[in-house]
Amino acid sequence: MPIPVVTHTQFNWNCDFPTAIRPLTMSGRDLPADAVLLPHHHPWGQFTYAMQGVMRVTANHSSWIVPPQRAIWIAPDVEHAVTILEPTRLRPLCVHASRSPFPDACKVVEVSGLLRELLSALEQHDQDEQSGRERLLGEMILDELPRCAARPLRVPLPHDKRLKALCDALIADPGAEHTLAAWAGQVGASERTLTRLFERELGMRFSQWRQQARLAHAAPLIARGVPLSLVAAQLGYASQSAFSAMFKKTFGSTPTSFFAEK
């Protein structure tokens, strides 16, 4: 029978965990919007494929948005939390630590057509029968995973309290048009200090970080079909074309194409 699919956020359900002999297993979660998986970690890696819906994963002082038909890799022992932004159908793969396919701790990736078909085949496989076919599917999936192209849907989060106050305010209202000098007056640090903090803690300029935060905020809006003109207005862009141009420059495709379910 196909893999069991749960509709709750508990961790102690009957799930097959990977071993050195069986390095890859699959489970399923179908969750409603606003469901939350509290911070947790496990000794295996996790590659979670979002068949439908949008989720946000927080780990390693960063936040990642995972649109439909994309996936996120989380390395072994990395503590992470998940917030469901739109009703989702998730198919997590548990990967034994000895077979981690990526050097990164976390990353959002494209799911190739071949990988999508392999995942679909594994989902329909009888999980009670550890057959040669299941092993072959697992090995083909592990071979294909490192070939997935990364997508820059990461929003790094700071340690410094002053910078954190600024970032939290922008995440709550990404369309805010305050300059860095204006933010400096609100968070109790000079513009020069904030500039240094953005470079030192987040590895980018204020304008670059704000753009990443805006893209993250746009993800669930576009995925649920909100008109791009409204999305652009919410994010502080003068026009839909200005927002679309920025999006295409970052991702190489239009917002509609990027978030379309393949």
Side-chain angles (χ1 to χ4, degrees), residues 30-46:
D30 291 352
L31 297 174
D34 299 323
V36 174
L37 279 76
L38 296 175
H40 62 286
H41 60 89
H42 28 69
W44 56 85
Q46 187 166 292

Side-chain angles (χ1 to χ4, degrees), residues 2 24 59 75 92 106 112 149 174 192 218 250 254-256:
L24 185 145
C106 300
S112 67
R192 180 176 297 180
T250 303
T254 65
T256 303

Side-chain angles (χ1 to χ4, degrees), residues 1 12 43 47 57 65 88 114 127 139 143 167 202 213 227 231:
M1 58 181 294
N12 58 340
F47 183 85
V57 176
I65 296 295
T88 61
L114 173 58
Q127 300 295 295
E139 288 300 322
D143 182 72
C167 292
L202 304 178
V231 175

Side-chain angles (χ1 to χ4, degrees), residues 161-163 165-170 173 176-191 194:
K161 291 181 179 179
R162 297 162 296 177
L163 190 58
L166 187 164
C167 292
D168 287 347
L170 264 177
D173 181 16
E177 287 293 337
H178 302 315
T179 63
L180 192 57
W183 283 114
Q186 294 189 32
V187 302
S190 69
E191 182 179 3
L194 290 177

Side-chain angles (χ1 to χ4, degrees), residues 43 94 108:
C94 298
V108 172

Side-chain angles (χ1 to χ4, degrees), residues 3-240:
I3 62 165
V5 177
V6 300
T7 56
H8 57 71
T9 57
Q10 301 171 20
F11 300 118
N12 58 340
W13 87 102
N14 186 20
C15 178
D16 290 329
F17 302 129
T19 64
I21 297 174
R22 192 186 184 198
L24 185 145
T25 62
M26 175 184 273
S27 57
R29 284 188 189 270
D30 291 352
L31 297 174
D34 299 323
V36 174
L37 279 76
L38 296 175
H40 62 286
H41 60 89
H42 28 69
W44 56 85
Q46 187 166 292
F47 183 85
T48 301
Y49 170 43
M51 296 176 66
Q52 294 178 2
V54 182
M55 63 178 168
R56 179 173 64 240
V57 176
T58 303
N60 278 7
H61 295 285
S62 294
S63 179
W64 284 265
I65 296 295
V66 187
Q69 295 293 315
R70 271 69 173 186
I72 185 167
W73 164 252
I74 302 168
D77 296 315
V78 171
E79 184 173 89
H80 55 284
V82 180
T83 301
I84 303 302
L85 302 179
E86 295 291 326
T88 61
R89 295 177 62 203
L90 305 178
R91 296 300 178 264
L93 296 177
C94 298
V95 181
H96 194 264
S98 65
R99 301 295 300 274
S100 294
F102 303 106
D104 313 68
C106 300
K107 65 190 303 185
V108 172
V109 300
E110 289 282 349
V111 176
S112 67
L114 173 58
L115 180 56
R116 192 174 299 111
E117 293 302 320
L118 290 170
L119 294 173
S120 178
L122 184 62
E123 180 181 2
Q124 297 304 315
H125 184 77
D126 191 334
Q127 300 295 295
D128 295 328
E129 296 181 8
Q130 298 180 30
S131 66
R133 184 171 186 270
E134 183 198 22
R135 288 192 292 272
L136 286 174
L137 287 171
E139 288 300 322
M140 292 177 70
I141 289 170
L142 288 170
D143 182 72
E144 184 68 12
L145 289 181
R147 306 172 194 272
C148 294
R151 285 291 172 251
L153 285 168
R154 169 179 173 261
V155 181
L157 303 174
H159 295 275
D160 184 272
K161 291 181 179 179
R162 297 162 296 177
L163 190 58
K164 186 176 186 302
L166 187 164
C167 292
D168 287 347
L170 264 177
I171 288 174
D173 181 16
E177 287 293 337
H178 302 315
T179 63
L180 192 57
W183 283 114
Q186 294 189 32
V187 302
S190 69
E191 182 179 3
R192 180 176 297 180
T193 295
L194 290 177
T195 298
R196 287 199 303 267
L197 286 171
F198 266 105
E199 292 286 353
R200 187 179 71 199
E201 293 208 8
L202 304 178
M204 62 183 72
R205 298 188 304 274
F206 166 67
S207 59
Q208 293 173 315
W209 186 90
R210 181 171 60 184
Q211 177 175 298
Q212 290 294 93
R214 287 176 170 178
L215 287 173
H217 186 80
L221 300 177
I222 298 171
R224 77 166 71 112
V226 174
L228 290 181
S229 58
L230 295 181
V231 175
Q234 283 191 32
L235 300 182
Y237 288 91
S239 65
Q240 175 181 329

